[in-house]
């Protein structure tokens, strides 16, 4: 998947998410405004972001649209100018072959999406995303909580309200602090709580920490991730 295809892939998925949310105005992570109704323009903006990122992490000066590597591509969308205090969708685009889609999605500060503030509503949304995106994993978390309080590394799962694992991920069998739901596609939905997840809630915090420690001991990590 070259970078033009990566940009097209991400814009197409976010456009479908936008239709589900009936929200098309977003900001890229460099704070550039973009309307997902204009996919061609959005692709060009995102492609510009990808090229800039590649130049940051490599010594290449001239990046063409057919540029290809196996390094994950990380970028995404903010819901508003509140940035880290508002909802965001972060895409990680990695190796994609006949057997594994290593692309993943992290949703943070989801409580700002007012029509998804209840568990059943959000679960339905996640199940729709699995069909749209066919991801390796989906993590639903709180950015500031995991950056500032948990101090998680970039190559660890960010447990929050729920986490989706595709059938290609072997997760620890004994998980006392979460409910595991088997899905028809062979994937699993790990649910920390059916209440609204709140990092200030001691029980929610305890469960999230317990899962983090369990996955560390079991050495289960995302295939590609670099926030």
């Amino acid at each position: 998947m070259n970078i033009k295809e990566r940009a097209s892939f991400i814009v197409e998925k976010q456009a479908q998410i936008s239709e589900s949310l009936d929200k098309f105005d977003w900001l890229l992570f460099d704070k550039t405004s973009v309307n997902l109704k204009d996919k061609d323009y959005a692709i060009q903006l995102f492609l510009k972001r990808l090229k800039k990122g590649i130049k940051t992490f490599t010594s290449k000066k001239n990046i063409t649209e057919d540029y290809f590597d196996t390094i994950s591509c990380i970028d995404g969308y903010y819901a508003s100018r509140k940035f880290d205090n508002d909802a965001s969708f972060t895409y990680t685009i990695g190796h994609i072959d006949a057997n594994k889609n290593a692309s993943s999605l992290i949703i943070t500060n989801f409580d700002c999406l007012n029509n998804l503030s209840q568990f059943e509503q959000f679960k339905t949304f996640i199940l729709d995303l699995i069909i749209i995106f066919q991801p390796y994993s989906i993590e639903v978390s709180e950015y500031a909580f995991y950056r500032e309080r948990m101090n998680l590394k970039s190559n660890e799962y960010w447990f929050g309200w729920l986490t989706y694992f595709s059938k290609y991920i072997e997760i620890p069998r004994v998980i006392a602090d979460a409910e595991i739901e088997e899905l028809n596609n062979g994937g699993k939905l790990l649910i920390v709580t059916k209440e609204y997840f709140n990092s200030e809630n001691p029980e929610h915090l305890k469960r999230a920490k317990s899962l983090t420690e369990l996955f560390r001991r079991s050495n289960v990590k995302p295939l590609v991730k670099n926030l």
Side-chain angles (χ1 to χ4, degrees):
M1 185 180 282
N2 63 37
I3 58 171
K4 178 65 178 295
E5 292 168 332
R6 290 184 188 183
S8 299
F9 178 84
I10 293 172
V11 168
E12 179 60 35
K13 299 312 174 188
Q14 187 68 20
Q16 292 180 62
I17 290 173
S18 296
E19 290 178 6
S20 298
L21 297 173
D22 193 26
K23 173 180 172 50
F24 293 88
D25 294 311
W26 300 87
L27 289 98
L28 298 180
F29 281 4
D30 65 353
K31 304 182 181 181
T32 302
S33 299
V34 58
N35 188 307
L36 268 296
K37 288 183 178 179
D38 189 345
K39 293 182 183 178
D40 291 339
Y41 181 63
I43 289 170
Q44 290 306 312
L45 285 178
F46 218 97
L47 187 59
K48 182 179 178 180
R49 290 280 296 149
L50 299 188
K51 290 180 178 180
K52 183 178 180 180
I54 291 167
K55 289 179 180 179
T56 300
F57 294 105
T58 71
S59 59
K60 294 185 176 296
K61 302 298 182 183
N62 182 31
I63 309 295
T64 59
E65 293 185 358
D66 61 354
Y67 175 84
F68 172 85
D69 61 31
T70 56
I71 300 172
S72 62
C73 152
I74 297 94
D75 216 316
Y77 301 84
Y78 284 116
S80 79
R81 292 190 178 279
K82 293 180 182 178
F83 301 111
D84 288 348
N85 293 317
D86 205 349
S88 69
F89 292 78
T90 302
Y91 292 87
T92 301
I93 308 301
H95 305 262
I96 297 180
D97 58 35
N99 299 312
K100 292 183 180 180
N101 176 356
S103 301
S104 61
L105 183 63
I106 299 176
I107 305 172
T108 54
N109 299 344
F110 48 86
D111 54 308
C112 300
L113 303 170
N114 295 327
N115 58 331
L116 298 174
S117 60
Q118 300 299 315
F119 174 78
E120 290 301 330
Q121 293 173 311
F122 199 84
K123 178 184 172 184
T124 299
F125 176 64
I126 292 298
L127 294 177
D128 288 343
L129 285 189
I130 293 169
I131 296 172
I132 290 172
F133 194 44
Q134 298 181 20
Y136 195 69
S137 64
I138 298 178
E139 299 159 67
V140 183
S141 183
E142 296 178 16
Y143 186 85
F145 169 54
Y146 279 95
R147 276 295 203 197
E148 297 169 10
R149 295 187 60 183
M150 291 291 287
N151 194 29
L152 284 184
K153 298 177 181 178
S154 61
N155 65 340
E156 294 186 285
Y157 284 107
W158 290 16
F159 294 107
W161 205 350
L162 52 82
T163 311
Y164 166 74
F165 300 95
S166 73
K167 63 182 179 181
Y168 302 109
I169 304 175
E170 292 291 334
I171 65 175
R173 292 183 180 181
V174 181
I175 299 180
D177 292 307
E179 175 184 330
I180 298 177
E181 183 175 330
E182 302 276 350
L183 302 181
N184 292 334
N185 67 352
K188 297 180 179 65
L189 203 59
L190 189 154
I191 302 167
V192 171
T193 175
K194 291 186 178 180
E195 301 172 345
Y196 172 74
F197 183 83
N198 182 356
S199 60
E200 301 299 324
N201 183 314
E203 182 60 28
H204 296 179
L205 179 61
K206 175 185 173 184
R207 293 178 185 180
K209 285 184 174 181
S210 176
L211 287 170
T212 299
E213 291 165 0
L214 174 61
F215 273 65
R216 281 175 178 168
R217 292 196 303 270
S218 304
N219 197 32
V220 179
K221 298 179 180 180
L223 188 62
V224 285
K225 189 170 172 183
N226 182 24
L227 294 181

